[in-house]
Amino acid sequence: VRRLVIEAKSYCYKCPVRVDCLEHAIAAEEIGIWGGMTTTERRREARRRIRRRGKSQETLRSMRRHKGQ
């Protein structure tokens, strides 16, 4: 199975629409190799993006508070 995953990913890395494919797979919660990532890797990436987005919004709120002072 690992060999098949590596082989599938190798095709993805050559694909000109890999980023679009990855974005679709994350949004649609697709199963399998999409955009060069496994289902597990994409779920991790989605969680990382959510955490990062939350931190970005906290930083923005903090900057706005300090700007008003």
Side-chain angles (χ1 to χ4, degrees), residues 10-68:
S10 74
Y11 286 104
C12 291
Y13 290 117
K14 299 174 206 170
C15 181
V17 296
R18 182 181 69 82
V19 173
D20 293 332
C21 182
L22 177 60
E23 294 305 318
H24 163 78
I26 289 172
E29 298 182 5
E30 298 286 0
I31 304 296
I33 305 293
W34 285 72
M37 289 186 167
T38 64
T39 305
T40 302
E41 291 168 335
R42 286 192 314 277
R43 287 179 181 154
R44 261 188 228 126
E45 174 64 14
R47 285 192 303 270
R48 185 186 68 78
R49 289 180 183 189
I50 290 167
R51 283 192 307 272
R52 189 174 67 201
R53 190 177 325 130
K55 287 181 181 179
S56 295
Q57 289 179 357
E58 288 174 25
T59 301
L60 182 59
R61 280 192 294 271
S62 176
M63 288 172 57
R64 285 180 181 155
R65 278 194 304 269
H66 292 297
K67 185 179 178 183

